[in-house]
Amino acid sequence: MAQQDFLASHHIVNGVYPVADAFATSVTTDYVSLANYRKATWIIHTGVATGGTANGVITVLAASDAAATGAGAVAFRYRRCASSTTVDTWSALTEVASTGLVMTVGSNQMYEVEVTAADVEGADPGNPFVALKVTEDTNDPVVAGIICILSDPRYGNQVPVSAIA
C-alpha cells in the first residue's frame, strides 16, 4: 500500500505564532479561502496561564475576501482536550452557535475548531473566506498558538494551493 502524502490532501496555514499573551484583548487569524478546500480545522494549543484563569471566546468568521469584507460569525463544531490531565483524550465533537464558545478556564488546553465549505455557504452565501477569532475573556496572559489545516482539496495537487488572498 502506497503511503499518503499528508500535504497532498491538507494545507497547513499559520494562524497565530506561539507567543506569550497570545489572546491579549483579541486575535483573529488570517482569512483563508474554502474555494479549493472543503474543510477548515483550527488547532488552538495553550500553555501555562500566568494566573491559571485564562479563557476566551472562540468565534468563526466568514467574509467575501481575505480583507474581511462583510465578515460575520457562523456556527461551527469543536472538541477540547484538557492536556494538563489527559494528554490525548478529546471531548465529543459538539455544535456551537455563531455566538461562539467560551473556552474552559485554565492552562494547557487544546481545541479543535472546524467548519466545512458547505456549512459556510449555507449560513453565509458568497463568503468563502473564514477566520478564527479569540477574544480574551479574562485578562490572564497565556502562551498559545493557532494553526489552520485546510483539508479535502477540490483538486488534487502535489503542492497545496494557496488559500490566503
Side-chain angles (χ1 to χ4, degrees), residues 34 48 137:
L34 291 175
V48 176
D137 206 22

Side-chain angles (χ1 to χ4, degrees), residues 27-110:
V27 65
T28 302
T29 65
D30 282 334
Y31 279 80
V32 294
S33 175
L34 291 175
N36 292 312
Y37 300 92
R38 291 185 179 91
K39 185 177 182 181
T41 303
W42 291 271
I43 303 295
I44 304 168
H45 191 198
T46 69
V48 176
T50 305
T53 59
N55 66 348
V57 177
I58 299 168
T59 53
V60 173
L61 305 172
S64 62
D65 57 34
T69 303
V74 295
F76 59 92
R77 287 171 295 287
Y78 90 100
R79 303 177 213 259
R80 182 178 76 87
C81 178
S83 53
S84 58
T85 54
T86 54
V87 296
D88 71 342
T89 303
W90 291 83
S91 64
L93 194 59
T94 304
E95 300 282 335
V96 177
S98 62
T99 51
L101 167 74
V102 176
M103 297 167 76
T104 301
V105 171
S107 300
N108 303 321
Q109 307 285 325
M110 288 191 296

